[in-house]
Amino acid sequence: MEKKNILTKFAEFLKNNRFNVISWGVTALVVAALTGFGFWWIQFGSTAPTSIPKPTDSPTASQLSAELPTLTANNSALGFSIGRQLELKTNITDQANTSITQYQVTMGDSLFAIAKQYNIKPETILYSNKASLNDNPENLKPGMTLTIPPVDGILYTWQTGDTLQKVADKFKAKVDDILNWPGNNLDLTNPQIAPGTVVMVPGGQRPLIDWTQYIPTISRGSTGAGTGTSNIGTAQCGAGPSGPVSVWPIQGEPHVLSPGGNDYIVPTHLGIDILAHTGDTVVAAGNGVVVIAAPMGSIDADNYGYGNFIEIDHGNGYATVYAHLSVIYAKVCQPVYAGQAIGAAGATGNATGPHLHFEVRYGGGNKDPWDFVH
């Protein structure tokens, strides 16, 4: 009974002093939390040095070095890592090349390889070197100096009476292209060009000599009586074997063109130049009859620079030409068969090194040989 009275009184006390009890409880919890944090800090959280070096003290080796954690994708020390991809930034100028180059031809050069080296068309080199090349890639010789324009077009020497419109019309170009070409250094407000000034005509072009009209061609004809030029003579060849053009004309050599790639360009270069060594066997590209077997110097001096050359009529409208030979094996009117030796490769005529100039002709014109043999 006495215990019940004590509990009843305690309950009434709590009821009457509820706010005070809660307030004291919260205070006790806060004090306990702060006390616990203080003990933890003393044991684990303090990293303060036992002594602080004076500003004038020199740092020791241990103070200067610190071991860094290894940076990995999942670094246990760091918890994470950030990958960063390297960005390379290069400033590339948009300024055009305006320099005119003087190039000296060396042994083994070809017009097409030189053009490829300077990133221009072979015709561009022909346009600006008329005096030395005469529009003929076969006229290229070691030691010759070529003028190389900076871009495709024509380098033109200004003449008395010329105007921008007149020159642009002459070379099928645009006046604005001539005016705005930075290498011409023209005053756009008053473009005055003195006679004798070399001007770049970007995109300019002129007619090139069509050498097909100067190259001797003889055909057997349906009657077997050939026709030819006066300095070759008339080939009176009878009927012979016929067949398609399909055989690579250099025996035992890989099918490789001379530097510059496929250099067939009408009307200036009517065939392809095949890489060969002096003495490599040249074979007939198909069945036919030899209608020209011309030693060097046996025809007019131009000779297109072919040196010793052979032409075979294949009896189906097609003919093939083999030039710069060191030796001619075949004779006029001789029947030959595909793969038969007809001569040896060389560098006679206008050639900067040993190779075979090979042509395919049809109906009085020329075809790209790469379409027939490769």
Side-chain angles (χ1 to χ4, degrees), residues 236-259:
Q236 300 293 336
C237 300
S242 300
V245 176
S246 60
V247 175
W248 186 253
I250 294 290
Q251 187 180 71
E253 289 289 338
H255 299 189
V256 179
L257 300 179
S258 60

Side-chain angles (χ1 to χ4, degrees), residues 22-333:
I22 293 173
S23 176
W24 280 105
V26 171
T27 301
L29 289 174
V30 171
V31 170
L34 291 175
T35 303
F37 180 78
F39 280 111
W40 177 87
W41 178 259
I42 293 172
Q43 291 292 325
F44 306 105
S46 178
T47 57
T50 56
S51 63
I52 301 175
K54 298 178 181 179
T56 56
D57 290 344
S58 298
T60 64
S62 60
Q63 293 170 333
L64 288 174
S65 63
E67 184 177 354
L68 296 176
T70 304
L71 183 61
T72 61
N74 295 309
N75 193 296
S76 59
L78 297 179
F80 66 92
S81 62
I82 300 175
R84 182 182 182 89
Q85 187 172 357
L86 183 64
E87 293 184 13
L88 298 178
K89 295 184 179 181
T90 304
N91 294 325
I92 302 176
T93 178
D94 293 330
Q95 185 175 0
N97 174 29
T98 60
S99 301
I100 299 171
T101 303
Q102 299 299 317
Y103 180 84
Q104 188 170 41
V105 179
T106 60
M107 187 67 69
D109 271 342
S110 73
L111 183 75
F112 309 91
I114 297 170
K116 187 175 182 179
Q117 176 182 340
Y118 287 96
N119 198 30
I120 56 177
K121 297 177 180 179
E123 295 93 329
T124 293
I125 299 178
L126 293 175
Y127 292 152
S128 297
N129 293 274
K130 180 69 165 63
S132 55
L133 294 177
N134 197 26
D135 291 354
N136 185 353
E138 298 292 332
N139 285 335
L140 200 69
K141 290 182 177 295
M144 177 184 292
T145 299
L146 298 178
T147 298
I148 309 296
V151 294
D152 283 320
I154 293 177
L155 288 171
Y156 175 70
T157 302
W158 209 259
Q159 306 295 316
T160 301
D162 278 342
T163 66
L164 284 168
Q165 190 62 59
K166 180 179 177 180
V167 171
D169 291 344
K170 179 178 181 179
F171 298 117
K172 299 179 181 180
K174 298 178 180 179
V175 170
D176 286 346
D177 290 343
I178 302 173
L179 270 174
N180 294 323
W181 178 249
N184 289 334
N185 297 317
L186 298 179
D187 183 352
L188 300 182
T189 61
N190 185 28
Q192 299 295 320
I193 305 175
T197 302
V198 176
V199 175
M200 184 69 216
V201 183
Q205 54 185 293
R206 62 169 175 78
L208 295 168
I209 297 174
D210 183 358
W211 286 98
T212 56
Q213 59 184 315
Y214 300 106
I215 301 173
T217 300
I218 299 177
S219 174
R220 284 182 287 172
S222 58
T223 63
T227 60
T229 60
S230 58
N231 53 1
I232 288 291
T234 301
Q236 300 293 336
C237 300
S242 300
V245 176
S246 60
V247 175
W248 186 253
I250 294 290
Q251 187 180 71
E253 289 289 338
H255 299 189
V256 179
L257 300 179
S258 60
N262 191 343
D263 44 17
Y264 171 73
I265 296 179
V266 175
T268 59
H269 199 249
L270 307 175
I272 57 176
D273 289 341
I274 298 173
L275 197 64
H277 302 90
T278 299
D280 283 349
T281 300
V282 176
V283 301
N287 299 342
V289 174
V290 176
V291 291
I292 298 179
M296 185 174 178
S298 63
I299 59 176
D300 60 340
D302 288 337
N303 188 23
Y304 197 64
Y306 279 4
N308 301 326
F309 79 99
I310 292 172
E311 181 174 338
I312 298 175
D313 179 359
H314 297 281
N316 52 10
Y318 284 93
T320 51
V321 173
Y322 313 76
H324 304 305
L325 303 176
S326 59
V327 181
I328 294 176
Y329 298 152
K331 297 180 180 180
V332 174
C333 293

